[in-house]
Amino acid sequence: MHPAARTRTTFRTGPTPVPQPRSRRIRSLIDADALRVLHRAARVLLDDLPDLTDRLLAVLREQEPAYRTALEHDHAATWQEVYRSLRHSVTSLLDPRGTREAAHRCTWRIGVARAEQGLPLDALLHAFRLGGSLVWQRLVEETTRSEPEDIRLLVHVATDVWNFVDEHCTLVADAYRQAERQLAWRRENRVRLLAAALLDGTSRIADLPETAERLCLPEHGRYVVVAIVGAPPHDLPPGGSAYRHSGADVDHGIVLVGDEGDGKADRDPLAALALTADTPAGCRIGVGSPVTGLAAVGDARRLADLALSICPPEGGTVRLAEHLPEAMVVSCPELGATLTERVLGPLLRLEPADRDVLLDTLVAWFVCEGSAQRAGERLYCHRNTVLNRLRRCEQLIDRSLARPHDVAEISLALTARRLLRG
């Protein structure tokens, strides 16, 4: 044997090559043929897009009432939208990578636009699926017409076509929902701005009809504003009778009450608000006086804030109409301080222990409606002790508890001291 032959056969190194399976090669050829068939049919569809658009719109008009309305309202714009979407769908069959971003942008814009127009999302998704079905149907029709023997090859690209449809259905739904969230935020923000202007008294007359519509309240109704600190939001009834505006420190409720003469004008708005004597601990509520028309709600809010300022720190409900003297004092604290000094000054300058005994006696006498007996029981002392203390108060402040004018002054001064000393 020739040495070269022995060397070549005896000392061969490395793995023995393994032949590639024939099935992989066959599969590659099938995919290539399938794409060729797909591209041939897609180019025909691209030239026939106007007819394809008309066919899809006819199906939508028949099957989707929302699109029927859109076509009646603006046929040209709807036609252009469908045409652009179909064009991107067909061109994506020919060049998936090169047209992907443009197709995505087109679908996203459609989702946003239809959300803004209020077209139902179900109708939009149905339209996209119908569009996908129509494109596939036309691909099959064209292949059957031109090359019937190639129709079996389309099966190999069917998954790609329907994956494209599913991808764009997901995309248009995402765009729709994101736009819907933004629209909801804008609507809520618009409502807040309109309500804030109403409560601030800065609403424009031209904005009142929109404000009434968005707050679901009549423009010319009769209203009470309630200022609320510490109450949960559900204490106001749902839309139709009240609107609650949340603030940084104070919430305000705009509450619709009855009109004068209808038997409901004197209805306690607290009953409508479900705010009773069982007010949660620490909750403070101020109820203003009624006003007529949304244009006057700013004035009603100031009255409610005034009532709230009279509420004790530990909580409670104050109706302004039942606390007008206190409201007068709080509304002009400078005059209240002047009145306190002018009426109670000599008494206030006593030693603290003496001063507090006399002031407590005066307050108890007023609380007990001028009854020394009941004041004594309240203070745990004899009625004569109460009378002696009251005489000393009269001498110090040079006023008589028997004169109505002096009684009014003393009562208002005591109120001013209680409300303003904090």
Side-chain angles (χ1 to χ4, degrees):
M1 183 177 291
H2 196 280
R6 285 196 302 269
T7 304
R8 192 163 50 246
T9 57
T10 304
F11 300 103
R12 186 171 183 174
T13 59
T16 303
V18 178
Q20 295 294 321
R22 294 186 63 192
S23 60
R24 183 175 301 176
R25 176 63 177 163
I26 294 171
R27 178 65 186 170
S28 298
L29 290 174
I30 291 174
D31 289 345
D33 288 342
L35 285 174
R36 175 181 54 79
V37 172
L38 176 67
H39 290 171
R40 183 178 60 203
R43 280 190 287 269
V44 175
L45 263 64
L46 201 56
D47 294 333
D48 199 26
L49 274 180
D51 179 66
L52 195 64
T53 302
D54 290 338
R55 287 179 62 175
L56 180 53
L57 287 176
V59 175
L60 287 172
R61 185 189 294 274
E62 179 184 350
Q63 297 189 18
E64 274 298 340
Y67 268 93
R68 192 180 309 137
T69 302
L71 285 166
E72 292 171 358
H73 179 70
D74 194 344
H75 184 278
T78 305
W79 193 95
Q80 287 295 333
E81 175 191 286
V82 172
Y83 176 84
R84 286 192 299 271
S85 181
L86 288 173
R87 178 165 54 83
H88 283 291
S89 297
V90 176
T91 54
S92 293
L93 299 176
L94 296 168
D95 183 13
R97 292 183 180 178
T99 58
R100 178 182 174 86
E101 292 302 321
H104 280 191
R105 286 195 298 271
C106 176
T107 296
W108 189 270
R109 284 195 294 268
I110 290 173
V112 171
R114 287 310 186 182
E116 291 174 347
Q117 294 163 8
L119 186 88
L121 178 56
D122 287 346
L124 182 59
L125 291 173
H126 190 203
F128 266 73
R129 294 191 179 99
L130 285 174
S133 297
L134 182 58
V135 168
W136 177 251
Q137 179 184 339
R138 286 290 292 114
L139 290 171
V140 173
E141 289 174 356
E142 177 54 32
T143 303
T144 302
R145 183 192 66 79
S146 61
E147 301 288 345
E149 67 279 2
D150 289 341
I151 192 67
R152 59 185 177 78
L153 293 172
L154 280 182
V155 175
H156 297 284
V157 295
T159 300
D160 295 333
V161 173
W162 287 107
N163 283 345
F164 176 89
V165 174
D166 288 342
E167 176 186 0
H168 282 260
C169 282
T170 300
L171 187 65
V172 79
D174 289 345
Y176 187 100
R177 293 188 182 102
Q178 181 172 315
E180 201 172 39
R181 286 192 296 269
Q182 292 175 347
L183 288 169
W185 180 86
R186 289 175 194 163
R187 284 192 294 267
E188 291 171 4
N189 194 50
R190 178 62 176 164
V191 170
R192 281 190 54 80
L193 290 174
L194 290 170
L198 201 64
L199 290 163
D200 290 342
T202 57
S203 280
R204 300 181 304 172
I205 297 299
D207 289 337
L208 289 178
E210 181 190 0
T211 303
E213 179 182 359
R214 289 184 178 265
L215 270 59
C216 301
L217 296 170
E219 183 178 348
H220 302 292
R222 195 159 181 260
Y223 293 98
V224 164
V225 171
V226 180
I228 310 165
V229 174
H234 58 71
D235 277 344
L236 281 177
S241 60
Y243 173 82
R244 180 163 180 163
H245 181 79
S246 298
D249 301 312
V250 180
D251 291 357
H252 291 94
I254 304 171
V255 185
L256 179 67
V257 294
D259 294 325
E260 291 180 337
D262 67 356
K264 301 177 182 178
D266 296 328
R267 179 191 298 164
D268 185 353
L270 294 183
L273 289 167
L275 297 172
T276 64
D278 299 326
T279 303
C283 174
R284 299 169 57 235
I285 302 168
V287 184
S289 301
V291 297
T292 301
L294 287 177
V297 163
D299 295 332
R301 192 269 301 169
R302 285 185 283 275
L303 295 175
D305 287 345
L306 187 58
L308 182 66
S309 68
I310 303 171
C311 281
E314 62 273 14
T317 299
V318 170
R319 297 187 64 189
L320 188 66
E322 298 170 357
H323 297 268
L324 292 179
E326 294 96 323
M328 292 170 62
V329 167
V330 172
S331 62
C332 190
E334 294 83 2
L335 285 179
T338 300
L339 178 66
T340 301
E341 173 59 29
R342 182 171 180 270
V343 175
L344 301 177
L347 195 157
L348 296 175
R349 286 187 282 274
L350 295 174
E351 290 295 321
D354 199 14
R355 175 199 65 201
D356 292 343
V357 167
L358 294 179
L359 283 174
D360 289 346
T361 302
L362 266 179
V363 169
W365 187 79
F366 275 99
V367 168
C368 295
E369 300 176 339
S371 169
Q373 179 67 40
R374 284 193 286 130
E377 294 171 358
R378 186 183 183 89
L379 297 170
Y380 303 104
C381 63
H382 194 273
R383 65 180 297 276
N384 289 339
T385 303
V386 171
L387 292 173
N388 290 334
R389 292 175 184 174
L390 293 176
R391 278 193 291 271
R392 187 176 173 208
C393 288
E394 289 175 316
Q395 293 169 358
L396 284 168
I397 63 177
D398 193 24
R399 280 168 175 76
S400 171
L401 293 173
R403 287 196 296 267
H405 179 272
D406 289 355
V407 169
E409 266 196 336
I410 296 168
S411 176
L412 204 54
L414 289 170
T415 298
R417 179 177 181 273
R418 173 173 58 85
L419 293 175
L420 300 178
R421 63 179 175 178

